[in-house]
Amino acid sequence: MTNKLAAWTIAASAAFLALTATPSITPAQAREPTMKMGSNVPLREVALGVGKSFVVDLPRDAKDVLVSDPTIANAVVRTARRAYIIGVKLGQANVFFFDSEGRQIAGFDVAVKRDLNGIRMAIRHAIPHADIRVEGLGANGIILTGVANNPAEAQQAYDIASRLLDVPTAQTAAEGSKIVNAITVRGRDQVMLKVTVAEVQRDIVKQLGVNFNGSLGYGNTVLNFNTENPFSANNGAISSTSFSPGWKSGTNSISATIQAMERAGVMRTLAEPNLTAISGENANFLVGGEFPIPTGRTCDPGTGSCQTTITFKKFGISLSFTPVVLSEGRMSLKVNTEVSELSSEGALVQAGISIPSIRVRRADTTVEIPSGGALAMAGLIQEQTKQAINGLPGLMQVPILGTLFKSRDYVNRQSELVIIVTPYIVRAVAPKDISRPDDGFVDSSDPTAILLGKFNKIYGVAGSANPRKPYRGQYGYILD
């Protein structure tokens, strides 16, 4: 009885060890399961964190368990049909289960990766409306996939993963970044920027001067005199309004030239460039022209002919901006806008060629603004007063009579400029919903143009000119 009990105990112990331990397999034994397991049992991929486990329920009793690398993943058999696969350290291993006849019951391709649940939860709480997935990549890396609503959410998920991914600094510097950002941005937003450049200038110029020219003689003594008092405050420009009274007696004559002018003017400048670009991309817009500027002169010593080198300078209305949508309805804008025009003030004359100057209003900045909100990006209020009095020393200081011997030039210039930006997040629309400036325009007939002086057939009646495409709203950008 004792011998039978001992034999039964030894047999049970051997069966338990066969189920719980990884058997040592000789080459002959290793080939036997390969020939009998059958190819119709696919490998199942299992991703585990270090120290995490996976429960395996088998359809029939298992006899043998094969673990390719027990230092990476271990299989613990609880019963003949239930086992636990435990992740030990980072890496990959295979686990196979065989029945008593050597046929494969199940196979698992185990990848032991980092525990990324903390990163997943942090991204889910920070960006609840985005569908972002976090998966392990290699030993220490991760990959971010899924869809974000805008680039800011994708960058925020990347920043969170960078903070929570515990990779040694030296290893990160040696092996490069451990995070692959493969997040897709859902429907990149398009931003339309409307820029308004409005400027009003007021000029007042007053000029009054008296110039004398004459000759007085007595006997052999003759005195010739001539006074010319310039107007120096208005860049040398003089009044074209004058009258010249005079007196003459024999050889004696005196004439006076009185110059007087008063001018008041106003100039209004309004530019409204509109431009649309995808979030994160740069867009440029220019309406204007180019004028030539001589920059040099080259001569051929053999022929003696010379040629002037010309470069072209742009002027007009230009707009350049880069929008970045930060969140729903809010964006950051890098804006560069310019309104320039040719001016004769400050022009340069060189070698018989007049080079005009450019009058420029320019602003370059970065602002943060909501969609549909307006922001005064730049402004300027300037007032300039110039006054110059020129005359004959001594006599020009005489009260009342001194006016006959001097000229007065007075200039007052006021300028007010404002640049307003208004961004909109826009979507594409059907072509029938877009109006063109020429909608509703029809050329007038010859009798209408000759007798009534009309350039187009109708004025301001929407839909009458082109019944197939009625015009909605006001015509063009005419504000007055």
Side-chain angles (χ1 to χ4, degrees):
M1 183 67 180
T2 304
N3 293 334
K4 292 181 179 179
L5 180 60
W8 182 86
T9 304
I10 294 172
S13 301
F16 179 77
L17 291 175
L19 290 174
T20 57
T22 302
S24 59
I25 303 175
T26 61
Q29 292 173 333
R31 287 192 300 271
E32 182 179 357
T34 304
M35 291 183 295
K36 292 183 179 181
M37 67 173 135
S39 60
N40 59 345
V41 181
L43 285 177
R44 180 179 175 183
E45 295 182 356
V46 177
L48 291 178
V50 177
K52 302 293 183 177
S53 61
F54 177 75
V55 180
V56 179
D57 290 322
L58 301 174
R60 57 181 183 272
D61 294 345
K63 180 65 179 300
D64 294 330
V65 180
L66 174 62
V67 180
S68 63
D69 192 347
T71 62
I72 294 177
N74 193 14
V76 178
V77 178
R78 177 63 178 171
T79 64
R81 293 196 178 190
R82 172 165 289 186
Y84 306 138
I85 299 177
I86 302 174
V88 180
K89 70 175 184 179
L90 299 178
Q92 293 184 352
N94 293 328
V95 179
F96 297 95
F97 294 91
F98 303 95
D99 59 10
S100 59
E101 297 181 1
R103 292 176 300 182
Q104 179 182 339
I105 301 174
F108 298 91
D109 189 3
V110 182
V112 181
K113 303 178 181 179
R114 305 179 62 86
D115 187 7
L116 304 175
N117 289 332
I119 299 178
R120 293 190 184 100
M121 292 180 62
I123 293 178
R124 190 178 302 113
H125 287 303
I127 317 172
H129 301 291
D131 182 17
I132 298 177
R133 296 180 293 273
V134 182
E135 302 295 338
L137 182 65
N140 295 321
I142 62 174
I143 180 171
L144 303 177
T145 59
V147 180
N149 294 323
N150 50 66
E153 290 186 352
Q155 183 62 35
Q156 186 179 3
Y158 180 85
D159 295 339
I160 292 174
S162 302
R163 294 272 185 160
L164 299 181
L165 186 62
D166 186 15
V167 180
T169 305
Q171 185 178 1
T172 304
E175 300 181 7
S177 176
K178 296 297 180 181
I179 302 176
V180 177
N181 190 354
I183 299 175
T184 302
V185 178
R186 181 187 293 113
R188 300 180 65 184
D189 293 318
Q190 296 186 96
V191 178
M192 185 189 76
L193 183 65
K194 177 182 178 181
V195 177
T196 301
V197 181
E199 182 184 17
V200 175
Q201 280 194 354
R202 302 174 183 87
D203 291 332
I204 297 177
V205 178
K206 296 180 180 180
Q207 293 180 340
L208 177 62
V210 179
N211 296 327
F212 283 98
N213 185 10
S215 176
L216 296 177
Y218 182 75
N220 295 328
T221 303
V222 178
L223 174 63
N224 296 321
F225 57 92
N226 183 17
T227 63
E228 184 175 354
N229 301 318
F231 298 102
S232 58
N234 195 26
N235 297 323
I238 61 174
S239 171
S240 59
T241 302
S242 64
F243 59 96
S244 303
W247 171 82
K248 185 175 182 181
S249 176
T251 58
N252 300 324
S253 64
I254 298 176
S255 63
T257 302
I258 301 175
Q259 294 180 321
M261 183 189 70
E262 182 174 350
R263 183 181 67 190
V266 63
M267 183 180 68
R268 174 176 177 258
T269 301
L270 177 64
E272 290 186 321
N274 297 341
L275 191 60
T276 303
I278 296 177
S279 175
E281 300 295 334
N282 184 41
N284 296 280
F285 172 88
L286 173 64
V287 175
E290 298 182 349
F291 68 97
I293 298 177
T295 57
R297 189 175 179 86
T298 58
C299 298
D300 188 358
T303 60
S305 60
C306 298
Q307 185 176 4
T308 303
T309 305
I310 301 295
T311 59
F312 289 86
K313 176 69 174 179
K314 296 180 180 180
F315 70 96
I317 301 171
S318 68
L319 173 63
S320 174
F321 82 109
T322 304
V324 176
V325 178
L326 302 177
S327 61
E328 187 67 24
R330 192 163 190 85
M331 65 197 74
S332 172
L333 296 174
K334 180 177 177 58
V335 185
N336 184 357
T337 182
E338 177 180 312
V339 176
S340 58
E341 60 185 350
L342 299 180
S343 175
S344 59
E345 183 177 353
L348 176 64
V349 179
Q350 185 177 7
I353 301 175
S354 177
I355 304 174
S357 62
I358 300 181
R359 187 169 175 270
V360 180
R361 282 83 78 199
R362 180 187 297 122
D364 186 359
T365 185
T366 301
V367 297
E368 185 175 334
I369 187 173
S371 176
L375 180 66
M377 186 179 69
L380 172 67
I381 297 178
Q382 183 180 8
E383 183 172 359
Q384 185 182 37
T385 301
K386 295 189 295 183
Q387 186 170 206
I389 297 178
N390 301 282
L392 187 64
L395 294 179
M396 63 180 292
Q397 279 81 26
V398 176
I400 301 176
L401 295 179
T403 307
L404 301 176
F405 301 96
K406 66 182 179 183
S407 65
R408 176 179 178 263
D409 193 5
Y410 173 80
V411 178
N412 185 13
R413 179 171 299 167
Q414 297 175 340
S415 176
E416 185 172 356
L417 170 69
V418 64
I419 300 176
I420 302 173
V421 293
T422 306
Y424 300 93
I425 296 179
V426 295
R427 300 287 183 270
V429 298
K432 63 182 182 61
D433 296 330
I434 299 178
S435 297
R436 302 197 317 250
D438 62 337
D439 290 342
F441 181 87
V442 177
D443 289 332
S444 62
S445 61
D446 290 342
T448 304
I450 295 173
L451 299 177
L452 302 180
K454 291 186 177 181
F455 296 102
N456 53 301
K457 190 173 182 180
I458 58 174
Y459 284 86
V461 181
S464 300
N466 189 357
R468 295 174 298 176
K469 188 176 181 182
Y471 181 80
R472 296 171 299 280
Q474 297 180 352
Y475 289 91
Y477 287 95
I478 301 174
L479 301 180
D480 294 339

